[in-house]
């Protein structure tokens, strides 16, 4: 169903383009949000508290503030919050503590994309220097052999995409019966990407008595069904603050008869367009646009499904580390990515759905900062 929806080109016209125009307001709640807890207040290991401080986190975000105590208590939780609100640390901090209490603890984190898995592992590493906590990333597109080797050792955290995890379970490299904790991150995206059967299968291999943490940016009938099937008396935390779209300045650019590429080049030559994420509709279109921009002398990279994992990661890192000005991406490839200080998101091709639009512009204006987004309209 998802595929049909995305391929239906005429769908575009149905999005009212006025929804792409919005003046950014840094939401009151972000600026004045008073967390109930400080990180010191949480019942967590002192070494972990120290690492949180070293990482530069001074106070919990709203979702962290509300959900961490429940996870520490061992409850199942559902966390619904927009992108960029700190959901990763909301589950990592209490789970790292769980491992510190019992070094034999096995935790599985299921995510929709390889990039997201790697990002979570990086965040995990940021919290765990000197703590003797081990992890492995099991993602598709990457060579499976090193993953199989890494799985021979004990890992406290396995972070992976449903398809590859299933493969590794079938090869008997992972025994899900020994995992008492599971995180389903970006569950809505996993559904969108057609991972539902793999997810259900993985969950069926896990012990009935376990802790299940479920995170999603959106809620739907299907999501509610999953929650009912996978979780036991969950505590639901829904946080509306940090509405990414509100702190993003959004405007449209009309390209009537004009040359889209020329227009784009003119924008990219301006100083304020120093770190730009451009969205295209198709893998092929994204690759073509990135090549064209390179030919015009811009430093541009691309990420899309026709690139293998290591090339995508390389392109992403060049962009993250400010070695290239531009990253051109498809919706799927850019999902959930956390890149700091993206100055502009440009929708070179109109997104297929408003939901895609929100996800795209959510790549800027992160962590309470102001961002900018432009949508090209033909
Ligand atoms: P989400 O999963 O909700 O989209 P992320 O977990 O990717 O959001 O976090 C978004 C950004 O906010 C990341 O760069 C992360 O390092 C940062 N962040 C998360 N929690 C805090 C905090 N308590 N203080 C400061 N920055 C934070
Ligand atoms: Mg996330």
């Amino acid at each position: 169903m998802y595929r049909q929806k995305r391929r239906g080109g005429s769908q575009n016209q149905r999005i009212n383009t006025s929804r792409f125009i919005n003046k950014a307001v840094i939401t009151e709640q972000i600026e004045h949000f008073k967390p109930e807890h400080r990180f010191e207040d949480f019942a967590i290991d002192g070494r972990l508290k120290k690492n949180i401080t070293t990482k530069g986190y001074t106070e919990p975000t709203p979702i962290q503030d509300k959900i961490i105590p429940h996870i520490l208590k061992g409850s199942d939780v559902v966390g619904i919050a927009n992108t960029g609100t700190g959901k990763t640390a909301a589950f990592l901090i209490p789970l790292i503590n769980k491992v510190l209490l019992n070094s034999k603890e096995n935790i599985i984190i299921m995510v929709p994309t390889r990039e997201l898995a790697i990002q979570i592992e990086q965040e995990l590493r940021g919290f765990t220097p000197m703590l003797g906590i081990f992890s492995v990333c099991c993602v598709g597109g990457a060579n499976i052999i090193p993953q199989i080797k890494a799985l021979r050792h004990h890992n406290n955290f396995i972070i992976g995409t449903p398809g590859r995890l299933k493969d590794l379970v079938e090869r008997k490299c992972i025994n899900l019966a020994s995992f008492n904790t599971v995180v389903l991150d970006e569950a809505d995206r996993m559904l969108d990407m057609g991972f539902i059967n793999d997810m259900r299968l993985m969950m069926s291999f896990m012990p009935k008595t376990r802790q299940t943490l479920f995170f999603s940016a959106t809620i739907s009938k299907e999501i509610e069904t999953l929650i009912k099937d996978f979780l036991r008396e969950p505590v639901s935390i829904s946080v509306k603050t940090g509405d990414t779209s509100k702190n993003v300045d959004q405007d449209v650019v009309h390209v009537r008869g004009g040359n889209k590429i020329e227009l784009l080049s003119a924008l990219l030559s301006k100083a304020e367009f120093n770190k730009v994420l451009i969205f295209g509709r198709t893998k092929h279109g994204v690759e073509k646009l990135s090549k064209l921009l390179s030919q015009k002398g811009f430093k541009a990279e691309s990420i899309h499904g026709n690139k293998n994992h290591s090339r995508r990661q390389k392109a992403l890192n060049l962009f993250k580390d400010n070695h290239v000005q531009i990253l051109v991406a498809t919706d799927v490839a850019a999902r959930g990515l956390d890149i700091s200080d993206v100055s502009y998101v440009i929708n070179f091709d109109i997104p297929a759905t408003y939901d895609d639009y929100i996800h795209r512009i959510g790549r800027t204006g992160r962590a309470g900062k102001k961002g900018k987004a432009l949508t090209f309209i033909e």
Side-chain angles (χ1 to χ4, degrees), residues 97-115:
N97 196 67
K98 195 169 183 178
V99 171
L100 290 174
L101 290 172
N102 172 16
S103 65
K104 296 212 170 62
E105 197 68 57
N106 292 325
I107 294 169
I108 197 135
I109 302 175
M110 242 184 268
V111 298
T113 65
R114 318 155 199 187
E115 282 78 11

Side-chain angles (χ1 to χ4, degrees), residues 171-186:
R171 289 172 191 239
K172 306 229 179 309
C173 301
I174 299 174
N175 173 18
L176 285 177
S178 67
F179 285 75
N180 292 316
T181 311
V182 59
V183 179
L184 299 161
D185 191 23
E186 303 222 1

Side-chain angles (χ1 to χ4, degrees), residues 224-335:
E224 277 169 1
T225 310
L226 283 191
I227 292 170
K228 215 167 85 252
D229 292 351
F230 293 160
L231 283 76
R232 286 215 311 202
E233 295 170 32
V235 176
S236 282
I237 306 286
S238 167
V239 169
K240 286 273 178 288
T241 53
D243 185 345
T244 341
S245 59
K246 281 207 189 110
N247 46 319
V248 178
D249 246 332
Q250 301 156 61
D251 210 345
V252 295
V253 179
H254 291 278
V255 251
R256 291 196 192 94
N259 185 330
K260 239 172 142 182
I261 300 280
E262 289 308 318
L263 199 71
L264 180 64
S265 313
L267 288 173
L268 293 172
S269 306
K270 295 187 185 175
E272 58 185 307
F273 288 74
N274 61 322
K275 193 166 186 179
V276 186
L277 182 58
I278 303 178
F279 283 97
R281 190 74 172 272
T282 64
K283 301 170 193 172
H284 181 68
V286 160
E287 186 58 30
K288 204 170 115 190
L289 181 58
S290 132
K291 287 227 168 80
L292 248 162
L293 291 172
S294 302
Q295 278 165 19
K296 286 183 173 287
F298 293 105
K299 286 193 169 168
E301 283 289 338
S302 67
I303 51 169
H304 52 74
N306 283 350
K307 264 195 178 174
N308 70 23
H309 168 64
S310 68
R311 287 177 62 219
R312 276 160 71 159
Q313 199 57 39
K314 202 172 146 205
L316 185 64
N317 285 337
L318 284 170
F319 184 62
K320 273 191 167 174
D321 301 339
N322 304 319
H323 295 305
V324 298
Q325 177 197 359
I326 301 154
L327 185 69
V328 194
T330 54
D331 291 283
V332 173
R335 219 150 249 178

Side-chain angles (χ1 to χ4, degrees), residues 39 55-61 64 82-89 119 123 186 338 366-367:
F39 283 118
K55 204 168 183 299
Y57 288 11
T58 51
E59 59 176 34
T61 66
Q64 293 163 4
N82 293 309
T83 51
T85 52
K87 294 191 283 297
T88 319
Q119 207 168 277
E123 181 117 354
E186 303 222 1
D338 179 47
R366 292 178 72 77

